[in-house]
Amino acid sequence: MKKKIPKVYLSSSSFKSKDLRHIINVCESININNLELSGNIQYQKLTNLKKILAKKDNFNFQIHNYFPPPKKSLTLNIAHSKTINKSLYQMKRSINLCQYLGIKSYSLHAGTAIDLNPKHLGKKQTLFDSIPLSISRENFYNSISQLSKYSNNRNVKLYIENHVIEHYNLFEAQNRYHFINLQDANFIF
């Protein structure tokens, strides 16, 4: 009996190119038609992105976090008071695009108690102050509740992706990132 291979998606962030058309062309040339669209794509007007993606009915797309790309770079973080509004706005744009394209899910990262700039991602972050984790968790819970209602009204499921934390980013041995362990999941669900 032959085992069915699950549908696997290649992330757009695995490409050096930031050009969506180029990434799709490369995928087509190597017979990959499952593509997760993420934060490495250069900004284009939403109408242009819709035209590009709508023409690719032989592709299966998933949308993750920063797609469609915002005009001005930002760090999506629905767990910090300073970044909630801009993050929710961007995530709703993503959910709207999912609905338009018939994509049934949108994945996002849980957020942090730190207000980070995009240039700080992937680097040492212990130098930055954080809000109390209890406040950050409450922000996250309220944001996810709002996003969940919004996405449900558009028939789009939310997938919350965990954070990967490097040991050098533990601040005084404390975690300031959400969803890196089951304790965080129990808080939400």
Side-chain angles (χ1 to χ4, degrees), residues 30-57:
I30 56 176
N31 295 319
I32 292 176
N33 66 345
N34 298 321
L35 184 62
E36 178 193 63
L37 303 169
S38 195
N40 66 309
I41 306 293
Q42 68 191 23
Y43 172 79
Q44 293 184 46
K45 290 183 179 180
L46 193 55
T47 53
N48 292 346
L49 289 174
K50 286 179 176 179
K51 285 178 190 174
I52 293 169
L53 298 172
K55 289 180 184 175
K56 296 297 176 185
D57 56 359

Side-chain angles (χ1 to χ4, degrees), residues 88-134:
L88 285 173
Y89 175 79
Q90 173 63 27
M91 290 174 174
K92 288 176 181 178
R93 287 181 71 230
S94 298
I95 291 166
N96 291 341
L97 184 58
C98 286
Q99 180 188 27
Y100 175 81
L101 294 170
I103 298 171
K104 298 296 180 194
S105 62
Y106 167 64
S107 62
L108 60 118
H109 287 282
T112 73
I114 315 164
D115 176 20
L116 295 172
N117 186 300
K119 66 183 177 184
H120 302 135
L121 299 177
K123 297 180 180 155
K124 191 171 182 176
Q125 299 164 357
T126 54
L127 307 171
F128 302 103
D129 292 330
S130 65
I131 60 175
L133 200 54
S134 59

Side-chain angles (χ1 to χ4, degrees), residues 42-89:
Q42 68 191 23
Y43 172 79
Q44 293 184 46
K45 290 183 179 180
L46 193 55
T47 53
N48 292 346
L49 289 174
K50 286 179 176 179
K51 285 178 190 174
I52 293 169
L53 298 172
K55 289 180 184 175
K56 296 297 176 185
D57 56 359
N58 61 324
F59 265 77
N60 301 304
F61 294 110
Q62 290 295 326
I63 293 182
H64 173 69
N65 235 21
Y66 291 94
F67 193 88
K71 194 170 191 172
K72 184 179 178 193
S73 184
L74 73 137
T75 300
L76 291 180
N77 185 359
I78 56 173
H80 195 286
S81 309
K82 289 183 179 177
T83 55
I84 289 174
N85 291 334
K86 285 182 182 179
S87 297
L88 285 173
Y89 175 79

Side-chain angles (χ1 to χ4, degrees), residues 1-57:
M1 184 168 142
K2 202 174 189 181
K3 288 186 179 183
K4 186 177 179 182
I5 297 173
K7 195 181 284 188
V8 176
Y9 285 78
L10 182 63
S11 175
S12 63
S13 61
S14 39
F15 291 86
K16 286 184 180 179
S17 175
K18 296 182 178 297
D19 181 273
L20 180 59
R21 281 192 175 101
H22 176 74
I23 291 170
I24 290 172
N25 289 338
V26 169
C27 287
E28 283 180 321
S29 74
I30 56 176
N31 295 319
I32 292 176
N33 66 345
N34 298 321
L35 184 62
E36 178 193 63
L37 303 169
S38 195
N40 66 309
I41 306 293
Q42 68 191 23
Y43 172 79
Q44 293 184 46
K45 290 183 179 180
L46 193 55
T47 53
N48 292 346
L49 289 174
K50 286 179 176 179
K51 285 178 190 174
I52 293 169
L53 298 172
K55 289 180 184 175
K56 296 297 176 185
D57 56 359

